[in-house]
Amino acid sequence: MTPSDTPEQSEFRQDALSGRWVVLAPERAKRPLGLSNVKPHVRVNVERAVCPFCPGSEAETPPEVYAAPGPASTPWQVRVFPNKFPAVRPIAPDTHGLTQRFDMRLLPGFGVHEVVIEGRAHETEPTALPDDVYTRVLIAYRERIKTLGADRRLDYVSVFKNVGAEAGASMAHLHSQLIASPFVPNDVREELAGAEREHKFSGWCAYCRMLVGTGGRKPPRFVAESSGFLVICPFAPRFAYEMWVLPKEHASHYETITDSQALDLARLLKRVLTALDAAAGMPAFNYFLHTAPLRTPPMPHYHWHLEITPRTARAAGYEFGTGVFINTVMPEKAAAELRAAVPAGL
Amino acid sequence: MTPSDTPEQSEFRQDALSGRWVVLAPERAKRPLGLSNVKPHVRVNVERAVCPFCPGSEAETPPEVYAAPGPASTPWQVRVFPNKFPAVRPIAPDTHGLTQRFDMRLLPGFGVHEVVIEGRAHETEPTALPDDVYTRVLIAYRERIKTLGADRRLDYVSVFKNVGAEAGASMAHLHSQLIASPFVPNDVREELAGAEREHKFSGWCAYCRMLVGTGGRKPPRFVAESSGFLVICPFAPRFAYEMWVLPKEHASHYETITDSQALDLARLLKRVLTALDAAAGMPAFNYFLHTAPLRTPPMPHYHWHLEITPRTARAAGYEFGTGVFINTVMPEKAAAELRAAVPAGL
């Protein structure tokens, strides 16, 4: 039996690296939604009377820790500053340290929570972001990871983006966030362990293998590519139309991305996000970076990537109770639809 | 430093059994929500013109696989039938089997997905369910786990409940669901492994230890108790006002619950769900059962429990990207508020 033989039959699939099972249940897409049910996949942006992320409101936000000037006399095009309502915050170094007592392990919430403002214009759609601005955003990620990596109390920087209220965004003006933590987050730790196990067993980077097609063909569930990057739907996606973006050349650390690779990636992201809107009807979505922990040497087994997770369904009791997600769109079908909707590259 | 010393300071806490880190960020509760933002915590029920779960609509649903008659001449008080839009379904036994190829592990989606109708009356609030009906629901869980356990292709039965649209419910009439799968779900597998490791290390059941207070006091983060069960807020909750319900006597398998224990549990659940509504403002919520896999012997290290997870915040890019949840209410504070709101027992 191969994945595509029986498109309407449910399948359980396991992601080889995280060990995570998912349920692929195309039949369940036929389920009627209740009369008053909010369609969970429609993107709704949260607008405020005055946008504190627009130029002129700089004093409303904490002072910036990074800024990328635009061309000519533009003071900034991308700004990074501490989140005003942080999940974590820097604290005095001497209060840092693990407390372990019976089944309790706790760390004071030392960390860094920052917001990356993507452009001066009040854009709400990533696909509308000019190439040079999007490139500077991707460079800002790199620079913040490098800078934060110098603090030895921090082990990991998670970069993520929420688009639409359903995806957790509380501000419309395009922005990303990053949270630096004194531990490697749960899912990344599992992925790293799985990738290392796979590499020991086969000698391959499991991600490099995902990018290889057989007989000169594109890799399975191919969506799009640029000169340096490939986009696929993963084998065991948690979300309908989920996509992974990976560099073609093996690289474990996002920080190694060059300026020209960032431009290439920005253009590709705009193409696949355009395809996502067309194929899945403008869903709210998140994307997030999975990269190697801070201050680690280059890893032959790990391969940084960006995961794009449309919020096409609501996670409910089964998902939160088991960690197993139900996805009603087979990734083979999602990839075909996305592929057909990707605009031509430059 | 102890958990309660610094209530407004963020903390990272790790659940000792699952290894899952969470961020406890009380300050983040002050974050303003956008003007047009839907309050994610308000419970909204999805009503239909004609409820297919009410008496008289039995023909609209698949034939029942289990029914508990009510007193006197009531034909049923609790009904269980296959989900009309299943995530998984029974298939011919000869097509069952694991396919493994490179990084792909897949199983045909063999399984069972059932709906448990909780009472004849069109109730939408679990706290309004009469004790005898709620008891029959809890007994129905037991009976279905026992019956499904006879099928050797199935490894696990997940029982869960979605209340409110935000928690994934698409029908208002009170009901639970169960999904039986040919594997042990991700989160349960991790919890089992953690509990076994803990037991080997300390000789204790880690859950039994959670139920013990020091110096004759109640256990930490105590919420409520009945003669047979205890409710606590866990040390590292993913959700604000999250509660765990555990039997006082060690038991690894939910199937061992007696009828009188089911009544005791039903009454306690109604009390703590009443407290949840009062303390957290009628949130949408899920609850789900964590119990030992099917056909396993009694386990000294595992302890079945019910996790109640209010949907007080939307999981966003950080949560889905890292598995790390941000929770703005410290469990010590949540437990105190819940405790104060629990109505007296019978």
Side-chain angles (χ1 to χ4, degrees):
Chain A
M1 179 178 159
T2 62
S4 53
D5 277 353
T6 49
E8 288 304 297
Q9 165 76 51
S10 291
E11 281 181 14
F12 296 108
R13 295 189 183 186
Q14 189 176 34
D15 180 81
L17 301 182
S18 66
R20 198 156 57 195
W21 287 97
V22 299
V23 180
L24 291 165
E27 269 191 297
R28 200 163 157 75
K30 297 173 196 147
R31 180 171 66 138
L33 290 173
L35 293 180
S36 68
N37 206 356
V38 180
K39 274 195 188 173
H41 60 276
V42 175
R43 189 144 86 224
V44 177
N45 288 317
V46 180
E47 291 291 354
R48 287 161 197 275
V50 176
C51 174
F53 293 173
C54 275
S57 295
E58 287 86 350
E60 310 258 317
T61 69
E64 65 205 27
V65 292
Y66 174 90
S73 59
T74 323
W76 61 268
Q77 212 175 40
V78 172
R79 278 181 83 217
V80 183
F81 50 79
N83 193 308
K84 211 167 169 179
F85 302 95
V88 293
R89 60 164 71 242
I91 53 167
D94 61 345
T95 61
H96 179 68
L98 183 72
T99 301
Q100 185 151 8
R101 199 177 68 189
F102 303 111
D103 53 338
M104 301 185 206
R105 282 191 90 181
L106 73 89
L107 283 165
F110 169 75
V112 175
H113 188 173
E114 294 177 348
V115 182
V116 181
I117 305 303
E118 306 181 351
R120 303 177 69 76
H122 188 81
E123 289 292 357
T124 59
E125 297 302 331
T127 49
L129 214 51
D131 289 352
D132 64 325
V133 181
Y134 214 147
T135 303
R136 286 192 175 87
V137 169
L138 298 173
I139 291 172
Y141 296 169
R142 177 189 76 195
E143 295 305 312
R144 291 311 294 158
I145 295 173
K146 279 188 188 172
T147 301
L148 292 165
D151 188 330
R152 301 189 62 86
R153 295 170 299 175
L154 296 171
D155 277 355
Y156 200 80
V157 176
S158 296
V159 179
F160 59 98
K161 185 177 185 63
N162 306 333
V163 181
E166 183 74 26
S170 58
M171 302 290 290
H173 191 130
L174 284 176
H175 66 286
S176 319
Q177 296 177 71
L178 63 87
I179 292 183
S181 59
F183 57 86
V184 177
N186 314 338
D187 290 359
V188 179
R189 191 180 52 195
E190 279 173 21
E191 213 178 53
L192 282 163
E196 191 170 9
R197 192 181 55 231
E198 196 59 20
H199 185 260
K200 273 191 183 140
F201 178 72
S202 70
W204 273 80
C205 162
Y207 298 94
C208 284
R209 201 171 50 197
M210 286 177 204
L211 305 182
V212 177
T214 50
R217 282 178 301 188
K218 301 285 185 197
R221 300 172 304 284
F222 170 82
V223 174
E225 68 183 314
S226 64
S227 66
F229 297 89
L230 254 167
V231 183
I232 58 167
C233 290
F235 171 71
R238 289 182 292 176
F239 300 93
Y241 301 96
E242 180 175 334
M243 292 184 271
W244 290 5
V245 185
L246 303 101
K248 288 179 179 174
E249 288 289 323
H250 181 84
S252 52
H253 291 65
Y254 179 81
E255 305 90 284
T256 61
I257 197 170
T258 64
D259 288 7
S260 62
Q261 286 172 331
L263 171 62
D264 182 37
L265 176 57
R267 286 179 172 153
L268 181 61
L269 279 174
K270 284 170 67 176
R271 288 169 62 212
V272 297
L273 293 176
T274 300
L276 175 65
D277 284 351
M282 298 279 289
F285 68 89
N286 305 105
Y287 64 62
F288 47 82
L289 186 63
H290 276 184
T291 181
L294 298 172
R295 300 179 308 283
T296 50
M299 296 174 175
H301 57 277
Y302 198 64
H303 198 122
W304 75 259
H305 57 281
L306 197 77
E307 302 192 10
I308 303 172
T309 54
R311 301 292 288 277
T312 42
R314 283 210 175 120
Y318 189 62
E319 285 80 0
F320 285 117
T322 61
V324 178
F325 280 65
I326 300 171
N327 174 355
T328 59
V329 183
M330 301 298 276
E332 289 74 20
K333 179 170 175 283
E337 290 179 27
L338 289 164
R339 200 160 55 228
V342 173
L346 296 176
Chain B
M1 181 178 157
T2 62
S4 53
D5 278 352
T6 50
E8 288 303 298
Q9 164 76 52
S10 290
E11 281 181 14
F12 296 109
R13 294 190 184 185
Q14 189 176 35
D15 181 81
L17 301 181
S18 65
R20 198 155 58 195
W21 286 98
V22 299
V23 180
L24 291 164
E27 270 191 296
R28 200 162 156 76
K30 296 172 196 149
R31 180 170 67 138
L33 290 172
L35 292 179
S36 69
N37 206 356
V38 180
K39 274 194 188 175
H41 58 276
V42 175
R43 189 144 86 224
V44 177
N45 288 316
V46 180
E47 292 291 355
R48 287 160 196 276
V50 176
C51 174
F53 293 173
C54 275
S57 297
E58 287 85 349
E60 310 258 315
T61 69
E64 65 205 26
V65 293
Y66 174 90
S73 59
T74 322
W76 62 267
Q77 212 175 38
V78 172
R79 280 181 82 216
V80 183
F81 50 80
N83 193 308
K84 210 167 170 179
F85 302 94
V88 295
R89 59 165 71 243
I91 53 169
D94 61 345
T95 61
H96 179 67
L98 183 71
T99 301
Q100 185 151 8
R101 200 177 66 188
F102 303 110
D103 53 337
M104 300 185 208
R105 283 192 88 182
L106 72 90
L107 284 165
F110 169 73
V112 175
H113 188 171
E114 294 177 347
V115 182
V116 181
I117 304 302
E118 306 180 352
R120 301 176 70 77
H122 188 82
E123 289 293 355
T124 59
E125 298 302 331
T127 50
L129 215 51
D131 288 352
D132 64 324
V133 181
Y134 214 147
T135 303
R136 285 192 176 88
V137 169
L138 298 174
I139 290 172
Y141 296 168
R142 177 188 75 196
E143 295 306 312
R144 291 311 294 157
I145 295 173
K146 279 188 188 172
T147 301
L148 292 166
D151 187 330
R152 300 189 64 85
R153 295 170 299 173
L154 296 172
D155 278 355
Y156 200 80
V157 177
S158 296
V159 179
F160 59 99
K161 185 177 184 63
N162 306 332
V163 180
E166 183 74 26
S170 58
M171 301 290 291
H173 191 130
L174 283 175
H175 66 287
S176 320
Q177 297 178 70
L178 64 86
I179 291 183
S181 59
F183 57 86
V184 177
N186 313 339
D187 290 358
V188 179
R189 191 181 52 195
E190 279 173 21
E191 212 178 54
L192 282 163
E196 191 169 8
R197 190 181 57 230
E198 196 60 18
H199 184 259
K200 273 191 184 140
F201 177 71
S202 70
W204 274 80
C205 161
Y207 299 93
C208 284
R209 201 171 49 197
M210 286 177 205
L211 305 181
V212 177
T214 51
R217 282 177 302 188
K218 301 287 185 198
R221 301 171 304 282
F222 170 83
V223 174
E225 68 183 314
S226 64
S227 66
F229 297 89
L230 255 167
V231 183
I232 58 167
C233 290
F235 172 70
R238 289 182 292 176
F239 301 92
Y241 301 97
E242 180 174 334
M243 291 184 272
W244 291 5
V245 185
L246 304 101
K248 287 180 179 175
E249 287 290 323
H250 181 85
S252 51
H253 291 65
Y254 179 81
E255 306 88 285
T256 61
I257 197 171
T258 64
D259 288 7
S260 63
Q261 286 171 331
L263 172 61
D264 182 37
L265 177 57
R267 287 180 173 153
L268 181 61
L269 279 175
K270 285 170 63 177
R271 288 169 63 213
V272 296
L273 293 176
T274 300
L276 176 65
D277 285 351
M282 299 278 289
F285 67 90
N286 306 105
Y287 64 63
F288 47 81
L289 187 62
H290 276 185
T291 180
L294 297 172
R295 299 179 309 283
T296 49
M299 297 173 174
H301 58 277
Y302 198 64
H303 198 122
W304 76 258
H305 57 281
L306 197 76
E307 302 192 10
I308 304 172
T309 53
R311 301 293 287 276
T312 41
R314 283 210 175 119
Y318 188 63
E319 285 80 359
F320 285 118
T322 61
V324 178
F325 280 66
I326 299 171
N327 174 354
T328 58
V329 183
M330 302 298 277
E332 289 73 21
K333 180 170 174 279
E337 291 179 25
L338 289 163
R339 199 160 55 228
V342 174
L346 296 176

